[in-house]
Amino acid sequence: MTGPGRRSSTFTRLLRHGFTDPSAAERLLESAELSPVRNDPVLLEALGRTADPDLALHGLVRLLEAQPGATARRALLDTVTAAKPLRDRLLGVLGASAALADHLARHPKDWEALVTYEPRDLHPGVEEFERRLAVATDPVSLRVAYRRCLLAIAARDVCGTTDVAQAAAELADLATATLRAALGLACAAAPEDAALCRLAVIAMGKCGGHELNYVSDVDVIFVGEAADGADEGKALRAATKLASHMMRICSESTVEGSIWPVDANLRPEGRNGPLVRTLSSHLAYYQRWAKTWEFQALLKARPVAGDLALGEQYVAAVEPLVWQAAERENFVADVQKMRRRVVENIPAAEVERELKLGPGGLRDVEFAVQLLQLVHGRADASLRSGTTLDALQALAAGGYVGRADAVQLDEAYRFLRFMEHRIQLYRLRRTHLVPEGEADQRRLGRSLGLRADPVGELNREWKRHAAVVRRLHEKLFYRPLLDAVAQLPSGEARLSSEAARERMVALGYADPAAALRHLEALASGVTRKAAIQRTLLPVLLGWFADSADPDAGLLNFRKVSDALGKTPWYLRLLRDEGAAAENLARVLSAGRLAPDLLMRAPEAVALLGDGDGDGGGLEPRGRQQLEQEILATVGRAGNGQQAVTAARGVRRRELFRTAAADIVSSYGTETQPAEADQGALVDRVGSAVSDLTAATLAGTLRAVVRDGWGDTLPTRFAVIGMGRFGGHELGYGSDADVVFVHEPQDGVDEREAADAAGRVVSEMRRLLQIPSADPPLLIDADLRPEGKSGPLVRTLKSYEAYYRRWSLVWESQALLRAEPVAGDEELGRRFVELVDPLRYPAGGLGEDAVREIRRLKARMESERLPRGADPKLHTKLGPGGLSDVEWTVQLLQLRHGAEVPGLRTTRTRAALGAAREAGLLSEEDAATLDEAWVLATRVRNAVMLVRGRAGDTFPSDPREVAAVGRYLGYGPGHVGDMLDDYRRTARRARGVVEALFYGG
């Protein structure tokens, strides 16, 4: 068929095979050069498989035109149509690289370099490349021979015969052979200089790491020594001439282009230093003057040309310095700072397209891997590879990087290197910018095998891999454990048994023999778990030692690890996620409460991480969030007991979260200093525990009502928080002070309603105190009318009648803390409205009432203080303790609450602040009382955290009192200072109380 119909069919066929300019392609196919094969479907299909069919066809025609005669053209065409491997290689190169197409047009016989070699040559090494470059007799012929070798590497690359890592290694081998050939030419040009010296060429950077790009500077360092009998000065001058000549041969541009620049700026002192130094001069510089980045660069040092024995001497001499670099002061911070500086220096217009240096780029992978190598490679020789992917595989095998993370990084790095190779291959230009043009992106996408939507798929895959790299870079490169491991002396990065024993004695472990048994149980064996433990333990031992009870910390760590060691996320969390390991060390060695809570459900260790997931982290959860979770948990349970058991499980987990956050904030970590605002710490704990208690009561009430009455309780029911509970000031060991109020539903008999309310109260108290793995929640209703003698629950009318007729002044004082915490919100609000006139009496308190309060306070001080207790150290009833401050504040509330709105609060510190603002006491007195109350509260919290049971005075056991001191910010040996400071603070507060409360 001829004419328009045939042209239309050809046009469609060309579009289907990926041609973007079918008209031009049709003209080329009709050319004389292709006339013998213009109807060959095999050729068209082969062109369609290339990255750019238009470019491949144009290059093929140019190559045919350049052949020296018809016989040569026919031979090329026959080979292209009959030999599939050669056809795919040749057309693949022509469709991916305009620069190599230009080379073939200038050197038309070089296509024969793509003919299949013997099997040993499919992946030629340095020696094979040297053989192929041996034909070069001058710089120009060396460049031609280099491009011929490059052509073969590119052909195998674009056809998938080699993967991206193999291609990079072949490029490094070719560079090695080229440096040798160039140095040979330089020596041949100046034999007298060559006779005077020994010169070693050390490859650095990607060439040294066997991972070179198509177009890249080849970083080198030169080491020179005098030949036997030669003067050192003359020898170094001769070596410098040879090195300079070698660099010019590789770098200078001719009609054939340049090979690549040889960059010697990684040498000591950079471009300001001598080009060639002796080995001893290098060592003197590295030992005295080198910066951190120079040791990072030396990680990839590899002798490649010249005197290889001298090169090996150089590498052997600098290697110990490389693996000691992590011990330098601020090493990790310096490396991290350098990486940030690289990103900051990228022009703003290029940062999103920068494949190598930008966020999520190749350098993110390389820096993270190198930092991990330098930190952990001191003790683990398996990590000492200069090749990024090999080092990453070793880090994963050793447990320093999670397997899943390593796989993702490997895939992302290969994809990004693939992009980099294809971008550079097109013009053989040194660039790392992703092209912006659609045609360039289309060719790039197709070269990566993305054919359906090359541009869209390319950008999606690129952004996906870049996001993975950036996320894992931040995770690995900035994790605090790195800095901690780097600070360990090199002999302690991995511990032998005897070294571990000696280290624990030095660190203050009381029972090093037991501690050693724990270490052996944790770290012995060849499992991945043991390998990760061996990495963690040296650091953890130091953190445990920075506590009052390192033995307990190590024992607790063993218990947690025994419980969770087979759980895949546990060790990964400690190794990878933020400050989790240090947080765990602090929590496990700070006392009994937090470890006891953790041992009951070890999976709560996940809370110590960065908290990216829902419910993670140490930030206390709010009342609404807690109540929603507990009510949902209750709703899923089968019966009331199961429901309350589940609610208590949530409470235990959240108590651990609060205690852990309190310990970490109080102790501080190496990445997060101890919190300075002690009042904020106290408020956070009080609010968190009070909110948790309220949510637990709400869930328990829901469970009891559902179990006994379905959804319809015959009476409305509310729980009113009292005391510290109502004041949002609960501590870890506090009971829940409450009163219960109910009101019969319309039409319900009062006796039936009272019976139902009583059953609710009894069942709530029972379920919350059933012995279990979770701590009980004790409900104390002794602040109800008539105290222990009165009914547990009353109607609102009964409360009203009682308070109207029988209420005493102490009950008005107790009601200052009344606040609804669970149950019927409207009934709770009405209860508050009922008691407001009692606790904030109009006109304040009469003198008789004031005297009564003072009398009650004095009686309490004399009768309730435990026998044998030191009053000056009793945080609740002692002089200047909690009772002194609270009764003083409450007296101000009773007297002035009606007229000062700010005093109408259940919170002690808030009321104290309002009294100060109202001028009811001075700034100084308010600060004195606040300081004493905060300190006494912190001591009580510390005692509970350390001993696991509540107490109102300092412990007597030396280790326990030291742990309390550590929580309060006192270092070893300063327990006496802590006690003196407490007495001083309490004494000053007592002086204010004498004046304000007793009127002294």
Side-chain angles (χ1 to χ4, degrees):
M1 184 174 68
T2 60
R6 179 181 178 279
R7 283 197 298 273
S8 175
S9 173
T10 302
F11 193 91
T12 302
R13 193 156 50 103
L14 291 171
L15 280 176
R16 189 173 66 250
H17 281 93
F19 289 87
T20 58
D21 189 351
S23 298
E26 189 174 15
R27 287 194 299 272
L28 289 173
L29 288 170
E30 296 290 339
S31 65
E33 287 75 17
L34 288 177
S35 58
V37 295
R38 64 176 50 135
N39 295 319
D40 189 339
V42 172
L43 176 62
L44 196 60
E45 289 175 5
L47 287 167
R49 289 193 296 270
T50 65
D52 188 337
D54 300 89
L55 184 66
L57 179 57
H58 184 258
L60 178 61
V61 171
R62 289 179 64 203
L63 179 58
L64 287 166
E65 290 174 343
Q67 295 304 307
T71 302
R73 282 195 293 275
R74 186 71 236 182
L76 174 59
L77 281 176
D78 287 347
T79 306
V80 166
T81 55
K84 184 181 187 306
L86 175 62
R87 176 174 65 241
D88 290 343
R89 289 181 179 183
L90 177 59
L91 296 182
V93 167
L94 293 175
S97 178
L100 288 177
D102 291 344
H103 172 83
L104 286 170
R106 289 195 304 272
H107 303 280
K109 296 290 287 180
D110 277 5
W111 68 268
E112 295 174 1
L114 302 180
V115 174
T116 303
Y117 293 102
E118 298 175 24
R120 66 182 178 85
D121 294 328
L122 288 177
H123 302 293
V126 176
E127 290 74 17
E128 175 61 26
F129 283 129
E130 282 190 278
R131 185 183 66 79
R132 298 180 194 178
L133 296 179
V135 297
T137 56
D138 56 53
V140 173
S141 59
L142 178 61
R143 291 183 183 94
V144 174
Y146 174 82
R147 286 293 176 92
R148 190 180 303 121
C149 293
L150 193 68
L151 181 67
I153 293 174
R156 288 191 295 275
D157 182 13
V158 298
C159 291
T161 306
T162 55
D163 67 15
V164 67
Q166 290 172 323
E170 288 188 9
L171 289 165
D173 286 343
L174 176 56
T176 297
T178 306
L179 288 170
R180 293 177 182 179
L183 183 57
L185 292 176
C187 291
E192 66 284 356
D193 288 331
L196 286 173
C197 65
R198 300 170 63 198
L199 177 64
V201 184
I202 311 297
M204 305 287 285
K206 289 188 177 299
C207 183
H210 265 104
E211 49 191 12
L212 198 62
N213 304 329
Y214 276 101
V215 187
S216 174
D217 292 355
V218 172
D219 296 305
V220 300
I221 286 177
F222 296 105
V223 186
E225 297 286 349
D228 291 341
D231 175 78
E232 184 175 285
K234 290 182 179 179
L236 287 178
R237 286 192 290 274
T240 301
K241 290 179 184 177
L242 293 175
S244 299
H245 192 183
M246 187 201 81
M247 293 173 70
R248 287 196 301 274
I249 290 171
C250 295
S251 305
E252 287 180 350
S253 181
T254 68
V255 292
E256 296 294 340
S258 67
I259 301 177
W260 18 248
V262 177
D263 188 342
N265 287 336
L266 291 178
R267 66 186 185 269
E269 300 180 80
R271 65 184 63 190
N272 297 319
L275 184 62
V276 181
R277 288 177 183 256
T278 63
L279 176 56
S280 60
S281 176
H282 275 97
L283 290 178
Y285 173 84
Y286 290 130
Q287 289 166 348
R288 297 183 62 188
W289 308 111
K291 297 180 175 61
T292 295
W293 69 263
E294 292 179 275
F295 294 106
Q296 185 179 355
L298 284 169
L299 199 155
K300 293 181 178 291
R302 179 172 64 93
V304 290
D307 192 316
L308 295 182
L310 177 59
E312 293 291 352
Q313 282 182 269
Y314 170 87
V315 170
V318 300
E319 185 177 30
L321 302 178
V322 171
W323 301 112
Q324 294 167 11
E327 298 171 23
R328 294 163 63 94
E329 186 175 359
N330 298 320
F331 165 76
V332 173
D334 285 347
V335 177
Q336 293 169 343
K337 182 178 179 181
M338 183 167 65
R339 174 61 189 133
R340 287 192 294 267
R341 189 163 56 243
V342 168
V343 175
E344 290 165 359
N345 289 335
I346 302 172
E350 297 179 359
V351 68
E352 294 298 325
R353 298 167 50 221
E354 176 56 72
L355 194 65
K356 176 181 178 182
L357 303 178
L362 292 162
R363 194 62 96 227
D364 271 354
V365 180
E366 292 161 356
F367 262 62
V369 169
Q370 289 165 22
L371 182 57
L372 288 167
Q373 284 182 275
L374 290 169
V375 168
H376 298 295
R378 295 173 298 159
D380 189 345
S382 70
L383 306 182
R384 299 178 183 180
S385 170
T387 305
T388 300
L389 291 178
D390 290 348
L392 178 59
Q393 184 177 6
L395 286 165
Y400 305 98
V401 175
R403 288 192 184 95
D405 289 348
V407 168
Q408 287 186 295
L409 272 182
D410 184 278
E411 291 176 352
Y413 187 73
R414 289 175 185 274
F415 182 86
L416 297 175
R417 287 301 304 273
F418 225 137
M419 286 184 66
E420 181 185 46
H421 278 193
R422 293 295 189 267
I423 291 168
Q424 293 184 349
L425 185 59
Y426 178 52
R427 292 289 186 192
L428 287 182
R429 290 177 182 167
R430 185 175 180 270
T431 179
H432 308 286
L433 294 178
V434 177
E436 295 181 294
E438 184 176 350
D440 289 327
Q441 289 195 4
R442 181 176 185 273
R443 180 183 60 255
L444 180 58
R446 283 175 58 90
S447 75
L448 298 174
L450 308 174
R451 299 300 172 89
D453 175 18
V455 175
E457 289 181 71
L458 170 68
N459 281 283
R460 284 192 294 274
E461 286 297 292
W462 169 33
K463 296 304 181 185
R464 180 175 69 84
H465 284 298
V468 167
V469 167
R470 194 60 186 168
R471 175 177 62 81
L472 294 177
H473 170 80
E474 295 285 352
K475 174 179 177 179
L476 300 176
F477 195 61
Y478 292 102
R479 67 186 188 201
L481 188 62
L482 271 177
D483 207 20
V485 174
Q487 291 172 19
L488 290 173
S490 57
E492 296 177 1
R494 289 291 179 91
L495 296 176
S496 66
S497 296
E498 188 56 36
R501 184 188 300 272
E502 293 174 0
R503 175 163 165 76
M504 282 181 284
V505 171
L507 288 174
Y509 283 78
D511 188 351
L516 184 57
R517 289 195 297 273
H518 299 323
L519 275 180
E520 290 170 346
L522 287 163
S524 61
V526 295
T527 64
R528 182 176 179 81
K529 170 188 171 184
I532 297 175
Q533 294 279 30
R534 285 193 291 270
T535 302
L536 293 169
L537 279 167
V539 184
L540 289 169
L541 288 176
W543 284 330
F544 293 145
D546 185 29
S547 73
D549 196 350
D551 298 82
L554 181 56
L555 173 60
N556 289 331
F557 179 68
R558 180 180 176 182
K559 290 179 179 177
V560 173
S561 294
D562 286 347
L564 291 176
K566 294 182 180 179
T567 307
W569 56 262
Y570 166 61
L571 291 175
R572 185 169 66 241
L573 170 82
L574 300 187
R575 181 192 60 204
D576 295 347
E577 190 168 325
E582 186 173 3
N583 288 345
L584 180 62
R586 300 303 183 199
V587 167
L588 293 180
S589 56
R592 295 188 58 178
L593 178 65
D596 286 351
L597 291 170
L598 182 59
M599 297 310 170
R600 294 168 181 174
E603 65 276 5
V605 77
L607 301 177
L608 299 170
D610 292 335
D612 294 334
D614 183 34
L618 294 179
E619 187 66 28
R621 303 170 76 196
R623 165 75 181 275
Q624 183 177 4
Q625 190 178 9
L626 290 168
E627 193 164 313
Q628 285 177 348
E629 180 182 2
I630 287 178
L631 291 177
T633 300
V634 165
R636 292 190 295 268
N639 57 48
Q641 184 165 331
Q642 292 173 355
V644 176
T645 298
R648 289 174 64 182
V650 175
R651 176 173 178 264
R652 181 245 314 127
R653 182 198 70 207
E654 294 303 318
L655 276 176
F656 172 74
R657 188 200 304 269
T658 302
D662 189 16
I663 291 167
V664 170
S665 298
S666 298
Y667 277 46
T669 65
E670 294 182 8
T671 56
Q672 182 66 43
E675 190 165 325
D677 189 344
Q678 307 300 302
L681 282 171
V682 165
D683 290 344
R684 188 156 65 234
V685 171
S687 293
V689 178
S690 300
D691 286 346
L692 178 56
T693 301
T696 305
L697 289 177
T700 304
L701 176 59
R702 174 75 63 83
V704 169
V705 171
R706 186 192 65 181
D707 227 26
W709 294 271
D711 294 327
T712 309
L713 187 68
T715 188
R716 303 171 72 184
F717 187 90
V719 184
I720 310 298
M722 303 288 285
R724 293 188 176 281
F725 186 16
H728 299 261
E729 297 162 357
L730 284 181
Y732 299 112
S734 300
D735 296 345
D737 288 315
V738 300
V739 296
F740 300 102
V741 57
H742 78 102
E743 185 176 69
Q745 300 279 8
D746 291 343
V748 174
D749 178 71
E750 287 194 11
R751 186 183 295 270
E752 179 188 353
D755 180 63
R759 287 167 55 197
V760 167
V761 171
S762 297
E763 187 66 1
M764 286 181 66
R765 299 179 79 183
R766 184 185 73 84
L767 292 175
L768 288 170
Q769 297 177 41
I770 290 176
S772 75
D774 299 312
L777 175 55
L778 301 179
I779 295 177
D780 187 339
D782 289 352
L783 292 176
R784 66 188 184 270
E786 303 179 77
K788 295 180 180 179
S789 303
L792 274 173
V793 59
R794 291 174 180 261
T795 64
L796 187 62
K797 288 182 179 180
S798 176
Y799 278 106
E800 180 181 13
Y802 175 85
Y803 288 136
R804 185 176 66 251
R805 298 179 60 190
W806 308 109
S807 178
L808 302 175
V809 67
W810 72 264
E811 291 176 300
S812 296
Q813 183 180 352
L815 288 169
L816 286 168
R817 304 285 199 95
E819 181 173 291
V821 293
D824 191 294
E825 292 182 5
E826 197 271 337
L827 180 59
R829 179 183 58 76
R830 287 163 55 205
F831 180 89
V832 168
E833 292 173 352
L834 168 66
V835 302
D836 271 350
L838 278 77
R839 56 183 178 175
Y840 311 126
L845 285 182
E847 285 303 313
D848 289 344
V850 171
R851 281 194 295 271
E852 176 64 13
I853 289 175
R854 290 170 176 166
R855 187 186 66 80
L856 289 172
K857 176 72 167 67
R859 179 182 170 188
M860 182 179 68
E861 290 177 9
S862 64
E863 295 180 359
R864 295 181 60 187
L865 194 69
R867 181 177 300 177
D870 181 352
K872 294 180 181 179
L873 292 178
H874 199 281
T875 60
K876 182 176 181 181
L877 301 176
L882 295 170
S883 178
D884 266 2
V885 177
E886 291 167 359
W887 281 59
T888 301
V889 171
Q890 289 162 14
L891 182 58
L892 292 172
Q893 290 180 282
L894 288 165
R895 282 179 144 180
H896 305 284
E899 65 209 42
V900 180
L903 290 173
R904 299 172 206 157
T905 174
T906 62
R907 302 175 186 238
T908 300
R909 297 188 72 217
L912 184 58
R916 183 196 65 234
E917 291 176 5
L920 301 177
L921 75 169
S922 68
E923 291 272 354
E924 182 180 357
D925 287 350
T928 299
L929 293 179
D930 185 74
E931 181 185 8
W933 189 88
V934 167
L935 179 57
T937 303
R938 294 213 73 214
V939 171
R940 295 181 90 211
N941 284 343
V943 170
M944 184 65 187
L945 286 170
V946 169
R947 304 182 68 194
R949 61 182 187 273
D952 291 318
T953 190
F954 290 88
S956 57
D957 180 88
R959 194 172 285 266
E960 290 180 348
V961 75
V964 170
R966 184 68 180 84
Y967 172 86
L968 296 176
Y970 293 87
H974 291 275
V975 167
D977 294 339
M978 172 184 67
L979 299 177
D980 288 344
D981 289 346
Y982 180 83
R983 292 188 186 98
R984 185 182 307 110
T985 302
R987 185 171 61 249
R988 292 174 57 221
R990 180 63 178 190
V992 176
V993 171
E994 293 283 358
L996 293 177
F997 184 82
Y998 290 109

